[in-house]
Amino acid sequence: MNEQIILPEPDPIPLPAPYWLLKFLLVLTFILHIIAMNFALGGGFIAGITDLIGRKKNNQFYTNLSASLSKMLPIATAFTITLGIAPLLFVQVLYGQYFYTSSIIMAWPWLSVILLLIIGYYGYYIYQFNFEKLSGIRAWIVLGSAVLFAVIGLIYTNNLVLMLTPEKWAQKYFTNPHGTNLNFDDPTVIPRYLHFFVASISVAGLLVLIYGLGKINKDEKYGRWAIKYGGLWFVIGTIVQYAVGIWFLLSLKKEFLLLFMGENSLATIIFGVSVLLSLLSLILILLSFNALNPKPLAIGGIVSLFLTIAGMSIMRDILRNAYLQNYFKPEQFDVQIQISVLLVFAVVFVAGLITVGYMLSKVLKLKPTTA
Amino acid sequence: MNYPVWDIPLIGGGLLIGFVAIIHVFISHFAVGGGIYLALTERKAIKENNKALLDFLKKHSRFFLLLTVVLGAVSGVGIWFTIGLVHPSATSTLIHSYVFGWAIEWVFFIVEISAILIYYATWDKLDPKTHNIIGWIYFAGAYLSLVIINGILTFMLTTGSWTEIPFTEPSKKFWLGFFNPSYFPSLFIRTGVALALAGLYSLITATRLKDEDLRAELVQYSGKWLVPAFILIPVAGIWYISIIPPLAREISMGGAPAVTVFAALSVVFSLIIALFAWLGPIKTPRQTSFAFALGLLVIGFMVTAVTEWVREAVRKPYIIYEYMYSNSILKESADKINSLGTLNVAKWVSVKEINDENKLKAGEEIFKVQCQSCHTIDGYNGIKKLVNGWSETYIDFQLQHLDMLKGFMPPFYGTEQERKALAKWLYNLNK
């Protein structure tokens, strides 16, 4: 029974676009989602801790920063959710039979994501709208929300790893068909999760740094402080991340580990470049701390880190296909291109970007009075 | 049969979907109607240079933001999560048939969410005209997202010629499925509902205003937002009913007593809202209290609940009309299941061959893959009560003619031996 592998058939409906295009959209929208998610999750932890430090030290810089973060967190959450819809769509298009099955096996934890999200999200709004009123407990509210979001991430890692291991489904399902399983027996789940979690702290540190860059012209002292303070979160997070990353790599099956160690040249190159880019961003950010003009250095660091995230996301995709290599054969997809629908999508997409751009341009013009 | 069945004792999957869906529908239609309410009312306030009205809108937009962006949006994702768990095959069909339909909707979501966040954050900061434009952009995004989802939702009941068009004509298949026979009547009904909910929700904030005159003016103004619905919903409703499949019409008009009662309740509750909206906010705005407004909103919620329930129920025995039955069996795979057997075709069953020892277990497994999408054992729509007092032969007789005797049920598919095993297990539930 333990060795039984049951694999649902892929959906009989053909793909409406070539595999590569759907894959490209999957990875691209995942990158956008994960950046917003890092701001929303890591930002919550940084806001809460900064708030606590501010109270203890009675230092206005800390309190100001947490007040500013309180306004960014609901926005980051809104975009995490909205940007998350697209990769959730494309993963169901390409990997539906794996995704639905693993979700059903752990249905209750998976569904609880919705409830946790609603509570955590309202927590962020309570933090923003009652920032002055709630002086004492507000930090704990935002930290509580951040913890709920961290739990959501953990559930996601459980499911998205379970989805890649059909060998475990039958045994789990027949032992417990009530959807209350988890996937902690998989040794990669914890390090993989921590890899995402620690990244969210680092990247949210960069959000604070970007915020500092925006402030530097108006209030140089505060701006420089925010650059250093956010940068420090980033630097410490990234150093911890190297340890967690190695742990994650070593937790993988040897054949997957070797993919990134020369066996698959594309995977190896992306891995190498990504690690170098993260080192580069670390150095640039550190240098920006005391530079006369921190902007160019910091922006360089930010760009290299976003490229690192892109590289890591591509690696994640390579790893997914490696996990599923015995079952998932992209060349077997039947493709029937819906040209007119694709055209409408392209037009709507461009029009949507222009509309959002128009609105942002109106907001950015306000900067002097509101920033 | 392709996916494991999530076993949810007592409540069952259908009720779970209903719970999430009703909350979402009740808020998402407000998210659409409330959008045009904000944009139009702001325009009026700017024109009249009415500062008090603008202040009201500012407060109302906060309520709007907190309700639609959090609970409205997340419950929408919640429906997606829930249907994927309860009806994975049907979800997969909807996803795969309309991949770029969903992607287009996603773009509208991005516009919508960006607009409402900016709208709320820039009161008194942007010049009034530009701020109003952002409000209109929000409404456009929200309404267009309804325009998209309406195509996919109506497709499930009136698949139109979608089932006949081969996959080799993918674009034609997409558009004909999308703009299916019930697309427009449904769009008009939903538009009416959205406008009515805009009125009902704004009565909640309007009745709490302190300034007597402004309060009376706004209560009456908000009440009038229900008027288009009084006309749109009945007209489009009759159109809708005339266009849906005959069996669906029958189910709602006597064929299935529970569905008929709910359909009648939907009409009665709607009439109550119309009457009291007329007598209260429109005719006597000064006497209309917050409690009264809340009462109307609660009845509005009940209308949403029963109507959604009916809309789901009349689609039986299908989940996607003429294509997939409510238990996820594809109509075209019926012959295959009859010859190979349910247990052989179903992937996630622990019994593959029936013998004397495992007959009951086999019956239970067959129940799981063929019946459990609608029935629980002893909870919601519980089968134990339904077959109580029936003999084993009578159960077997029923199973042979399910689609004839109970029009809203799919036929039983499988071998004779399997049917007998299921009958035995069902009979034994009450022994």
Side-chain angles (χ1 to χ4, degrees):
Chain A
M1 203 72 178
N2 269 352
E3 289 302 304
Q4 188 187 8
I5 297 177
I6 307 179
L7 208 64
E9 301 292 331
D11 201 284
I13 298 169
L15 295 183
Y19 170 73
W20 63 263
L21 178 61
L22 295 163
K23 180 47 85 68
F24 170 75
L25 290 169
L26 170 62
V27 177
L28 176 72
T29 53
F30 174 79
I31 294 170
L32 299 176
H33 163 67
I34 211 77
I35 292 173
M37 180 281 272
N38 284 337
F39 290 162
L41 170 64
F45 280 103
I46 294 183
I49 293 169
T50 308
D51 206 346
L52 287 177
I53 299 175
R55 279 180 72 83
K56 195 150 193 204
K57 287 193 176 174
N58 203 7
N59 182 327
Q60 208 50 40
F61 278 5
Y62 289 89
T63 313
N64 283 350
L65 175 61
S66 44
S68 295
L69 281 173
S70 80
K71 291 177 195 145
M72 298 182 214
L73 292 176
I75 297 173
T77 311
F79 279 96
T80 303
I81 297 166
T82 315
L83 292 170
I85 289 172
L88 195 61
L89 166 67
F90 294 116
V91 84
Q92 292 184 29
V93 173
L94 294 177
Y95 300 93
Q97 70 270 39
Y98 311 99
F99 174 79
Y100 294 126
T101 310
S102 63
S103 303
I104 291 166
I105 290 168
M106 46 175 288
W108 281 116
W110 183 241
L111 194 57
S112 75
V113 163
I114 301 298
L115 192 64
L116 297 172
L117 182 55
I118 290 172
I119 299 170
Y121 201 168
Y122 275 125
Y124 274 1
Y125 265 121
I126 291 172
Y127 185 62
Q128 180 191 344
F129 285 154
N130 302 294
F131 194 83
E132 301 297 333
K133 256 186 271 168
L134 285 173
S135 57
I137 53 160
R138 67 173 185 228
W140 299 107
I141 293 178
V142 73
L143 283 173
S145 284
V147 168
L148 292 183
F149 288 174
V151 173
I152 292 176
L154 189 56
I155 296 170
Y156 262 78
T157 308
N158 266 271
N159 191 10
L160 293 172
V161 173
L162 184 59
M163 161 188 158
L164 304 178
T165 47
E167 311 80 63
K168 297 163 64 180
W169 297 344
Q171 192 264 333
K172 272 191 192 288
Y173 176 71
F174 287 120
T175 320
N176 173 4
H178 297 287
T180 46
N181 296 287
L182 280 165
N183 195 24
F184 285 114
D185 47 311
D186 189 308
T188 67
V189 164
I190 295 286
R192 186 181 174 119
Y193 170 67
L194 288 177
H195 200 46
F196 279 92
F197 179 77
V198 174
S200 79
I201 302 286
S202 298
V203 177
L206 277 192
L207 177 68
V208 173
L209 184 145
I210 295 168
Y211 164 82
L213 287 175
K215 286 280 167 198
I216 206 162
N217 289 337
K218 236 178 77 189
D219 182 348
E220 194 179 342
K221 217 173 148 207
Y222 178 54
R224 277 197 178 268
W225 172 81
I227 290 173
K228 259 193 204 170
Y229 179 72
L232 205 62
W233 280 98
F234 168 74
V235 169
I236 294 171
T238 305
I239 291 167
V240 175
Q241 185 69 306
Y242 287 129
V244 173
I246 292 169
W247 180 16
F248 176 40
L249 265 178
L250 293 177
S251 75
L252 292 172
K253 270 196 204 157
K254 207 160 190 186
E255 52 171 312
F256 300 148
L257 169 66
L258 290 178
L259 285 178
F260 300 101
M261 302 286 147
E263 202 121 299
N264 176 332
S265 37
L266 180 69
T268 311
I269 291 169
I270 295 174
F271 177 48
V273 172
S274 300
V275 172
L276 287 178
L277 279 169
S278 76
L279 267 173
L280 178 66
S281 77
L282 198 62
I283 293 165
L284 289 174
I285 298 290
L286 276 171
L287 286 176
S288 78
F289 285 2
N290 293 315
L292 217 54
N293 178 8
K295 250 184 195 162
L297 288 166
I299 290 172
I302 293 160
V303 170
S304 5
L305 192 88
F306 286 157
L307 290 174
T308 309
I309 295 176
M312 292 286 168
S313 302
I314 297 168
M315 285 166 64
R316 174 177 176 273
D317 189 71
I318 293 173
L319 182 64
R320 167 162 50 203
N321 278 13
Y323 262 100
L324 293 174
Q325 59 192 331
N326 294 332
Y327 322 101
F328 181 73
K329 312 278 180 207
E331 63 278 5
Q332 285 172 2
F333 275 119
D334 184 7
V335 179
Q336 295 285 347
I337 299 176
Q338 295 172 340
I339 295 170
S340 61
V341 187
L342 280 172
L343 281 174
V344 174
F345 169 69
V347 171
V348 169
F349 186 72
V350 173
L353 283 184
I354 292 172
T355 312
V356 174
Y358 162 79
M359 293 191 289
L360 281 180
S361 74
K362 294 289 173 192
V363 174
L364 289 177
K365 272 189 208 147
L366 288 174
K367 221 173 178 179
T369 50
T370 56
Chain B
M1 298 215 166
N2 199 22
Y3 288 103
V5 175
W6 175 23
D7 192 1
I8 319 168
L10 299 176
I11 52 172
L15 215 55
L16 195 65
I17 294 177
F19 177 73
V20 184
I22 288 165
I23 294 176
H24 178 68
V25 169
F26 191 59
I27 298 172
S28 62
H29 284 74
F30 170 50
V32 177
I36 191 169
Y37 180 95
L38 282 171
L40 263 181
T41 315
E42 186 184 14
R43 202 182 115 200
K44 176 176 142 88
I46 296 169
K47 248 189 188 164
E48 296 169 0
N49 202 8
N50 187 338
K51 176 92 179 37
L53 186 55
L54 277 177
D55 283 340
F56 162 75
L57 285 175
K58 221 186 304 178
K59 271 195 204 123
H60 185 61
S61 69
R62 177 186 232 181
F63 165 69
F64 183 82
L65 175 86
L66 285 175
L67 192 64
T68 61
V69 169
V70 183
L71 200 54
V74 180
S75 61
V77 182
I79 296 185
W80 193 10
F81 271 53
T82 320
I83 61 171
L85 294 169
V86 177
H87 290 299
S89 299
T91 308
S92 176
T93 305
L94 295 181
I95 291 288
H96 283 85
S97 310
Y98 296 107
V99 176
F100 283 93
W102 295 112
I104 291 168
E105 186 175 33
W106 172 70
V107 177
F108 294 140
F109 284 157
I110 301 257
V111 172
E112 193 184 342
I113 208 88
S114 312
I116 194 63
L117 290 171
I118 292 173
Y119 186 78
Y120 179 74
T122 54
W123 281 108
D124 302 330
K125 289 174 188 159
L126 280 175
D127 68 280
K129 231 177 153 185
T130 314
H131 189 260
N132 196 208
I133 291 175
I134 309 272
W136 284 108
I137 292 176
Y138 167 76
F139 168 65
Y143 193 74
L144 287 169
S145 72
L146 174 65
V147 161
I148 301 291
I149 191 70
N150 180 60
I152 300 170
L153 284 176
T154 50
F155 160 78
M156 293 167 78
L157 177 63
T158 49
T159 38
S161 43
W162 182 87
T163 44
E164 287 134 44
I165 301 165
F167 286 119
T168 45
E169 293 179 64
S171 289
K172 191 177 166 196
K173 203 171 166 79
F174 179 101
W175 293 116
L176 283 176
F178 187 86
F179 290 110
N180 60 75
S182 66
Y183 180 87
F184 284 105
S186 167
L187 186 65
F188 291 141
I189 295 176
R190 288 179 184 278
T191 306
V193 171
L195 294 172
L197 284 177
L200 285 182
Y201 275 101
S202 41
L203 281 175
I204 294 288
T205 35
T207 47
R208 295 181 67 188
L209 283 169
K210 298 249 156 61
D211 179 338
E212 278 290 324
D213 290 329
L214 181 69
R215 202 181 82 113
E217 186 197 331
L218 263 175
V219 166
Q220 190 173 47
Y221 172 82
S222 302
K224 284 182 184 160
W225 277 76
L226 283 118
V227 175
F230 300 160
I231 302 149
L232 259 178
I233 295 176
V235 173
I238 292 168
W239 181 10
Y240 182 80
I241 291 169
S242 72
I243 229 155
I244 59 175
L247 177 60
R249 205 161 38 235
E250 237 168 72
I251 288 176
S252 64
M253 295 185 173
V259 186
T260 311
V261 170
F262 274 55
L265 281 178
S266 163
V267 176
V268 171
F269 288 155
S270 302
L271 287 174
I272 292 177
I273 294 180
L275 180 69
F276 282 95
W278 181 257
L279 291 176
I282 297 178
K283 282 281 143 197
T284 55
R286 278 183 195 277
Q287 280 78 44
T288 304
S289 63
F290 172 69
F292 189 91
L294 200 63
L296 281 181
L297 191 71
V298 170
I299 307 175
F301 182 78
M302 279 150 60
V303 175
T304 311
V306 292
T307 315
E308 278 300 302
W309 192 84
V310 171
R311 196 183 60 75
E312 286 287 314
V314 298
R315 208 170 46 227
K316 288 175 179 174
Y318 293 102
I319 189 156
I320 295 167
Y321 230 79
E322 299 288 345
Y323 178 73
M324 185 185 282
Y325 287 111
S326 37
N327 52 12
S328 300
I329 292 178
L330 286 180
K331 201 182 171 196
E332 60 172 29
S333 62
D335 290 341
K336 189 176 129 196
I337 298 173
N338 279 336
S339 60
L340 292 174
T342 296
L343 293 175
N344 257 324
V345 176
K347 293 203 167 240
W348 299 85
V349 287
S350 56
V351 178
K352 284 285 172 189
E353 281 197 25
I354 304 180
N355 53 42
D356 283 343
E357 279 101 74
N358 69 9
K359 227 179 207 161
L360 281 177
K361 181 74 195 158
E364 189 182 357
E365 293 287 274
I366 295 166
F367 174 79
K368 207 154 124 184
V369 294
Q370 290 225 11
C371 323
Q372 209 172 340
S373 56
C374 300
H375 292 282
T376 64
I377 294 175
D378 38 23
Y380 179 69
N381 208 7
I383 199 70
K384 191 172 161 183
K385 253 194 208 136
L386 290 169
V387 300
N388 193 12
W390 293 10
S391 70
E392 198 174 324
T393 19
Y394 184 62
I395 293 175
D396 188 47
F397 174 79
Q398 287 271 342
L399 287 176
Q400 287 176 61
H401 308 283
L402 275 182
D403 49 325
M404 301 288 177
L405 296 168
K406 303 192 163 41
F408 45 84
M409 284 179 69
F412 172 84
Y413 289 127
T415 63
E416 193 186 337
Q417 194 194 19
E418 288 177 335
R419 198 189 66 230
K420 293 230 148 88
L422 175 58
K424 192 180 187 65
W425 180 77
L426 286 168
Y427 177 70
N428 272 273
L429 285 175
N430 284 303
K431 238 168 88 178

